[in-house]
Amino acid sequence: MVVTHLLRRPLAAVRRWPVESQQRSRRNAMVASTALAQRRAELDEVEEFLAAVVRTPVAEAAAQAAHG
């Protein structure tokens, strides 16, 4: 009876471990996925901004060259 009582908590922890481990893994994957999505959005925004900045002077120079 005493042995059963002493083993109950460790056995419960062993039984919970796979479930808790997978839940932690899923949470870590979601955090990483969110961080990557935010980083990708920031890079896209910077790329669009730089493309707009570069296009404007090139377009103006091309128009002046065509008329000038």
Side-chain angles (χ1 to χ4, degrees), residues 16-29:
R16 283 191 317 265
W17 177 80
V19 174
E20 292 173 354
S21 177
Q22 192 205 10
Q23 288 173 340
R24 282 190 305 272
S25 296
R26 288 176 56 198
R27 181 186 179 281
N28 289 343

Side-chain angles (χ1 to χ4, degrees), residues 37-47:
Q38 288 174 340
R39 175 88 170 131
R40 190 177 316 118
E42 290 171 2
L43 290 173
D44 288 346
E45 186 178 331
V46 169
E47 185 177 320

